[in-house]
Amino acid sequence: MELYKQQKVKIYNSLSNQKEDFVSINEGYIGMYVCGPTVYSNVHLGNVRTFMSFDLVYRYFKHLGYKVRYVRNITDAGHLENDADVGEDRIAKKARLEEIEPMEVVQRYTVDFHNVLRKFNLLPPNIEPTATGHIIEQIEIIKSIIDNGLAYEVNGSVYFDVLKYNEKEHYGILSGRNIEDAIHNTRVLDGQSEKRNPQDFALWKKAQPEHIMRWPSPWSDGFPGWHLECTAMSTKYLGEQFDIHGGGMDLKFPHHECEIAQAQAHNNITPVKYWMHGNMLILNGKKMAKSTGNYILPEEIITGNNAILSKPFPATVARFFMLQAHYRSILDFSNDALVASEKGYYRLMNAVNLLDNIQESNASSIDISEWIQSCYNAMNDDFNSPILIANLFEGVKTINLLVEKKETLSSNDLKTFKATFNTFIFDVLGLENVTSTDSSEKLSNVVELLIDMRNEARINKDWALSDQIRDQLAAAGVQLKDGKDGTTFAI
């Protein structure tokens, strides 16, 4: 029997603002769409956390035996400054400033995006479509919405009629906003906009003469609105209605709200069953911002080339740090927090390395089934990675007891325990064991040499030297364990 039939997942649905039992539209299959980056600059750490959160979701569903189609887009056109309907395209502006082609900007930062996510061990999506690769689909959706009476053309641009849509549907269903309040609080000056209502948003914008990125359409040479691309690509690859749509909390309004309205106006069906939103990452208690200098790039964590961290950290340690917080909670990134996470990470990896030292017994003195289910219960509860990690550290205690032969496991139980421990650490959490690098092997060789020196001192009854080696290693974070089979160490 597939694991997903035994393990029932609950997801916090932003649409209902409560946890709901997850039931896929088609049994055994999941369609998941996550809003990807606008590739006009290096991917920032907050983006990495968002994509890591959905990497965790993807990994767990795959582990449960679902066949998942994971779609994550690349926005390479149509995203104007300040997420507005007027202004300069972010990519075109970068191209103008650097005097290169817009697609050179796209290529440079798409490559950077992929390289960074690879370093943090994120699995690639099944499909990674681009906005410019789906202009035809976006034009066809606009035609459909116009035909349904919910969009209008003005001077070559096309806008979604929010007020007319709201007569039968609820614009604000996801964000909890009330359109009447928005109308009451909006002051519009004559000639300020060609929209009928300030709440309306662009489906197609006529390109001004200086606008580089443009395509022909029935209305004008122009470009699609930012919100439209995700509707076009998600429904093309996942169908008119699919299981999960994810993204950062900042996209809930207006981006995701507009997506719902567009899809409903086009297909007359609610497009997404479960909406998921990851929370923000702050730095030293403040919002990350280049303008204030309170900012760090993912690459700078690995290289140590920054003024914020005391030393370089492996990408997998940063991943472990991020997963120690629930995806819906705000996470404060700091040097002290990362140092503390590094200690926890190496404690976990040291336990992994000790697994092969455990000897099977004829019988088990402990019941591992309850611990295994506790790991599943954590992930089944809206992908609660911090609780899973806490349970894995309970597993570390068990490993130490098994190594010290204070507890025993039968052959079958030991295989199951090892497989479960490794699966949740590497397959579900997506961590990597960097303790097996050359530097770690060199450290092991040095410690083994000191252990040999200590053993020789003990043979010679030089207890002072023996204790000195043990105590100084302990002060350096290396704990020696004497047993009948010799001395082992843990970092």
Side-chain angles (χ1 to χ4, degrees):
M1 180 186 292
E2 294 88 347
L3 270 173
Y4 68 79
K5 293 182 179 179
Q6 304 170 36
Q7 305 295 337
K8 300 302 180 183
V9 175
K10 283 184 177 289
I11 292 180
Y12 186 89
N13 190 350
S14 299
L15 202 58
S16 63
N17 288 319
Q18 62 185 11
K19 290 180 185 177
E20 299 178 7
D21 292 332
F22 176 76
V23 180
S24 60
I25 296 170
N26 299 301
E27 184 180 335
Y29 295 84
I30 293 175
M32 181 169 82
Y33 185 90
V34 173
C35 290
T38 300
V39 283
Y40 71 101
S41 64
N42 297 106
V43 60
H44 66 75
L45 203 56
N47 290 143
V48 172
R49 187 199 179 193
T50 297
F51 300 129
M52 190 181 295
S53 297
F54 291 103
D55 182 66
L56 177 71
V57 173
Y58 181 40
R59 284 172 176 272
Y60 188 60
F61 276 136
K62 281 168 65 71
H63 169 67
L64 292 183
Y66 283 102
K67 293 183 178 177
V68 186
R69 177 176 288 177
Y70 175 21
V71 182
R72 186 185 67 211
N73 72 300
I74 295 287
T75 296
D76 57 351
H79 195 170
L80 305 187
E81 292 184 290
N82 301 316
D83 300 342
D85 286 335
V86 294
E88 193 170 5
D89 184 289
R90 297 183 182 198
I91 293 166
K93 180 178 179 180
K94 186 78 169 182
R96 177 176 59 78
L97 292 174
E98 298 195 13
E99 297 182 336
I100 58 177
E101 282 290 326
M103 282 301 134
E104 289 183 77
V105 174
V106 167
Q107 179 68 10
R108 176 191 300 171
Y109 293 113
T110 300
V111 169
D112 169 74
F113 174 66
H114 290 153
N115 286 341
V116 169
L117 295 199
R118 196 177 301 114
K119 288 175 182 176
F120 284 84
N121 201 31
L122 273 70
L123 298 175
N126 302 108
I127 303 173
E128 193 172 49
T130 63
T132 57
H134 296 77
I135 299 295
I136 293 173
E137 288 85 353
Q138 294 178 75
I139 289 173
E140 291 303 311
I141 290 175
I142 296 171
K143 289 180 181 177
S144 169
I145 296 174
I146 291 174
D147 290 344
N148 291 336
L150 293 170
Y152 56 91
E153 184 264 336
V154 181
N155 299 326
S157 294
V158 180
Y159 296 96
F160 189 92
D161 193 330
V162 170
L163 295 188
K164 191 164 187 181
Y165 171 82
N166 201 59
E167 290 174 3
K168 294 184 178 179
E169 305 294 342
H170 179 194
Y171 182 79
I173 190 171
L174 180 65
S175 60
R177 300 189 180 212
N178 188 311
I179 190 70
E180 286 77 18
D181 292 340
I183 295 169
H184 179 73
N185 293 325
T186 301
R187 178 171 176 262
V188 184
L189 302 175
D190 290 340
Q192 184 183 41
S193 173
E194 60 188 10
K195 300 177 187 179
R196 292 178 183 172
N197 313 291
Q199 295 77 22
D200 296 350
F201 57 90
L203 298 175
W204 186 266
K205 287 289 291 182
K206 180 180 179 180
Q208 298 303 311
E210 67 274 10
H211 199 97
I212 305 171
M213 304 178 78
R214 59 175 66 213
W215 292 265
S217 80
W219 313 284
S220 65
D221 278 3
F223 53 92
W226 172 44
H227 310 305
L228 187 61
E229 65 174 271
C230 288
T231 298
M233 291 183 281
S234 62
T235 55
K236 176 172 182 175
Y237 296 109
L238 299 175
E240 292 180 356
Q241 187 178 54
F242 53 95
D243 297 291
I244 297 171
H245 193 315
M249 197 78 74
D250 58 319
L251 295 180
K252 186 183 288 189
F253 186 89
H255 187 53
H256 290 163
E257 197 75 73
C258 293
E259 279 192 61
I260 293 174
Q262 290 165 162
Q264 186 80 35
H266 172 48
N267 293 318
N268 197 31
I269 188 172
T270 301
V272 179
K273 196 171 180 183
Y274 304 92
W275 284 89
M276 297 178 66
H277 292 93
N279 216 324
M280 66 188 296
L281 182 73
I282 59 177
L283 181 60
N284 292 324
K286 300 177 182 177
K287 184 179 179 181
M288 283 197 191
K290 285 183 179 179
S291 58
T292 62
N294 196 51
Y295 185 82
I296 186 170
L297 289 172
E299 190 76 27
E300 293 172 340
I301 298 171
I302 303 167
T303 63
N305 185 25
N306 62 84
I308 295 169
L309 301 178
S310 58
K311 62 174 186 174
F313 291 89
T316 193
V317 169
R319 181 183 178 108
F320 179 67
F321 162 74
M322 293 188 199
L323 293 175
Q324 284 183 293
H326 191 266
Y327 76 91
R328 285 191 289 113
S329 65
I330 294 174
L331 177 60
D332 190 359
F333 187 93
S334 69
N335 182 73
D336 289 347
L338 207 53
V339 168
S341 284
E342 184 181 42
K343 292 176 182 177
Y345 166 81
Y346 281 116
R347 185 177 161 218
L348 199 61
M349 291 305 124
N350 185 60
V352 170
N353 296 338
L354 288 175
L355 282 173
D356 290 336
N357 296 345
I358 301 172
Q359 295 179 359
E360 62 185 56
S361 300
N362 293 329
S364 298
S365 63
I366 50 177
D367 182 5
I368 61 168
S369 60
E370 185 176 340
W371 173 78
I372 291 172
Q373 189 56 48
S374 73
C375 293
Y376 281 104
N377 289 345
M379 288 301 292
N380 292 342
D381 183 18
D382 195 31
F383 313 98
N384 202 323
S385 55
I387 299 299
L388 170 61
I389 290 170
N391 290 332
L392 289 172
F393 278 116
E394 289 300 315
V396 170
K397 294 178 184 177
T398 300
I399 289 171
N400 289 331
L401 292 172
L402 291 168
V403 169
E404 295 167 4
K405 298 186 178 178
K406 294 179 180 178
E407 300 287 2
T408 60
L409 286 179
S410 67
S411 177
N412 286 338
D413 280 354
L414 182 56
K415 288 177 182 175
T416 302
F417 179 78
K418 285 182 177 180
T420 303
F421 198 71
N422 281 313
T423 293
F424 276 104
I425 289 173
F426 300 116
D427 296 345
V428 176
L429 292 177
L431 300 177
E432 295 177 291
N433 191 349
V434 297
T435 61
S436 59
T437 60
D438 289 342
S439 59
S440 178
E441 290 174 9
K442 290 174 183 176
L443 173 62
S444 296
N445 291 337
V446 171
V447 174
E448 292 291 353
L449 176 62
L450 290 169
I451 289 173
D452 290 341
M453 291 173 64
R454 178 172 175 265
N455 288 339
E456 186 175 347
R458 295 172 76 186
I459 292 171
N460 296 330
K461 297 185 179 181
D462 188 349
W463 308 119
L465 178 58
S466 171
D467 291 347
Q468 183 184 8
I469 293 172
R470 180 198 62 204
D471 294 344
Q472 290 190 359
L473 282 172
V478 180
Q479 181 182 3
L480 299 185
K481 295 182 180 181
D482 295 319
K484 65 178 183 179
D485 296 323
T487 301
T488 58
F489 73 92
I491 299 174

